[in-house]
Amino acid sequence: MRDSHSESYKAAGVDVTAGYEAVERIKPLVESTYIPGVMGTLGGFGGLFAPDVSGMKRPVLVSGTDGVGTKLKLAFLMDKHDTVGIDCVAMCVNDIVCSGAAPLFFLDYLAVGKNVPSRIEAIVSGVTEGCRQAGCALIGGETAEMPGFYPDDEYDLAGFSVGLADEANMLDGSALQEGDLLIGLGSSGVHSNGFSLVRKVFGIDSKAVLDQNFPELGCTLGEELLKPTRIYVRAVRCMLHHGIAIRAISHITGGGLYENVPRMMKEGLTARIQKSAFPVPPIFELIAKTGKIPERDMYNTFNMGVGLVVAIPREQVGDALDLLAKAGERAYVIGSVVKGGSGVELV
């Protein structure tokens, strides 16, 4: 590939040699995520992975795909690109773990207006950090230079992940029972949802807006909003490994608690959540106050401080909270499972 170049393509805005430089920069980052099962190395036409299915009666592949969304606009304004890759991984693997699966590998898709190798390296460094946090491997991806489609200093980032579970151990909510308790795992902030509303509320159209300091945040607005999405894979896998009989899990993404919690409930049962049982981070109070957003809309748009909801038997709550604390998670008993209703009730 070192002899590959095209002056005509470069004149059209696509620099293939910059692409090769970017690959060389990210190769050690990618290889730092490799786990048993990875086959080959970066540069092939497909990412290869040989899963270990020994001991499984019926292996099931579980996949998830997502992007970072308009949170990227903040990265562009702040010229900070090393954390959005964590968001990209998190939005995929947090979905996968809701079924009890362990993420195996991840692939990303990065479309840029102009290939700047150092910026590609920063973006992929975030992706690889997310993969390491999730315990999965980055086994491939695609970087597309698209002049005239994206501005030179903008890009889009998306990806997908594949996990593995034994069908007998998958979590689908069927085991939920009246009286089960709900544990909420604390979020790191807004995560990667609701940013169209966030940008409207604060009028985010320049770096100056993001450089504003708010005493209640303890940092600038931009620093708060760019905090990467928390990845919950290791926490969930830890609970399962130690025999916690998780009944169901909900990843609180776009649509907030009102939209996502019902997705883990079975018919005839409702998750009754006590809003006073967990702290709402200051950023959400600031959004609500600045934008005059009704409370119902806040809980139907944002995670409000709870990134994952886990339903477990009442008698195992103490053990689960101890395990989560040792894993570095902020966890709260936020409610219980009751009969009837419409899936979720916030009181």
Side-chain angles (χ1 to χ4, degrees):
M1 289 194 302
R2 294 186 181 277
D3 293 330
S4 175
H5 64 274
S6 171
E7 293 301 320
S8 298
Y9 210 6
K10 186 174 182 179
V14 178
D15 187 350
V16 294
T17 56
Y20 300 146
E21 180 186 343
V23 170
E24 290 302 311
R25 283 173 173 261
I26 68 175
K27 188 174 182 179
L29 295 171
V30 173
E31 292 177 346
S32 74
T33 70
Y34 284 0
I35 60 175
V38 174
M39 300 175 64
T41 187
L42 196 66
F45 287 102
L48 307 178
F49 194 94
D52 180 5
V53 298
S54 58
M56 291 188 175
K57 293 182 178 180
R58 190 177 184 188
V60 177
L61 295 177
V62 182
S63 59
T65 185
D66 210 336
V68 183
T70 63
K71 184 175 184 175
L72 290 175
K73 287 285 190 181
L74 281 65
F76 304 157
L77 290 171
M78 295 179 68
D79 194 23
K80 180 174 173 55
H81 311 284
D82 60 347
T83 60
V84 290
I86 302 175
D87 291 294
C88 190
V89 175
M91 298 306 292
C92 299
V93 299
N94 284 345
D95 280 357
I96 286 174
V97 81
C98 287
S99 65
L104 298 175
F105 57 82
F106 186 85
L107 284 86
D108 61 358
Y109 175 75
L110 177 59
V112 303
K114 181 177 176 59
N115 192 325
V116 180
S118 59
R119 187 166 62 203
I120 301 294
E121 181 181 14
I123 296 166
V124 175
S125 74
V127 175
T128 57
E129 172 59 23
C131 288
R132 286 190 291 270
Q133 290 182 24
C136 66
L138 178 60
I139 63 170
E142 172 70 12
T143 300
E145 190 171 14
M146 302 169 64
F149 194 89
Y150 294 100
D152 284 357
D153 57 352
E154 295 191 4
Y155 55 86
D156 196 12
L157 177 63
F160 80 92
S161 185
V162 174
L164 180 68
D166 196 340
E167 185 179 33
N169 299 326
M170 292 184 69
L171 308 176
D172 59 6
S174 61
L176 275 169
Q177 300 177 21
E178 180 186 14
D180 287 341
L181 294 185
L182 304 172
I183 295 179
L185 275 62
S187 69
S188 56
V190 182
H191 283 182
S192 192
N193 304 105
F195 273 86
S196 293
L197 179 56
V198 169
R199 291 185 299 113
K200 179 178 183 295
V201 165
F202 293 109
I204 298 174
D205 58 3
S206 68
K207 187 174 184 296
V209 176
L210 294 170
D211 283 343
Q212 294 178 86
N213 275 288
F214 292 89
E216 59 266 50
L217 298 181
C219 60
T220 67
L221 179 63
E223 289 169 339
E224 172 65 34
L225 293 175
L226 267 192
K227 287 179 179 177
T229 304
R230 190 159 185 83
I231 292 175
Y232 300 103
V233 173
R234 293 190 186 277
V236 172
R237 300 302 300 171
C238 178
M239 285 192 287
L240 291 171
H241 176 73
H242 284 86
I244 302 299
I246 296 175
R247 311 283 205 197
I249 304 176
S250 177
H251 181 203
I252 310 305
T253 56
L257 290 158
Y258 276 112
E259 183 174 310
N260 289 288
V261 174
R263 297 167 64 181
M264 78 176 189
M265 304 303 295
K266 70 179 183 180
E267 190 173 353
L269 295 176
T270 285
R272 179 172 292 161
I273 294 175
Q274 304 282 339
K275 289 180 288 187
S276 61
F278 57 93
V280 175
I283 183 60
F284 296 113
E285 297 172 348
L286 183 62
I287 292 169
K289 180 178 68 175
T290 304
K292 297 181 173 58
I293 309 297
E295 182 183 69
R296 178 62 166 73
D297 288 357
M298 291 294 296
Y299 281 90
N300 209 157
T301 305
F302 302 107
N303 66 63
M304 299 303 287
V306 175
L308 205 74
V309 176
V310 183
I312 65 171
R314 183 179 295 268
E315 62 271 18
Q316 289 192 309
V317 164
D319 290 339
L321 291 176
D322 287 344
L323 287 169
L324 290 168
K326 290 175 182 176
E329 298 291 340
R330 292 173 292 108
Y332 317 92
V333 178
I334 64 171
S336 62
V337 176
V338 299
K339 281 188 178 179
S342 58
V344 66
E345 176 185 337
L346 272 63
V347 297

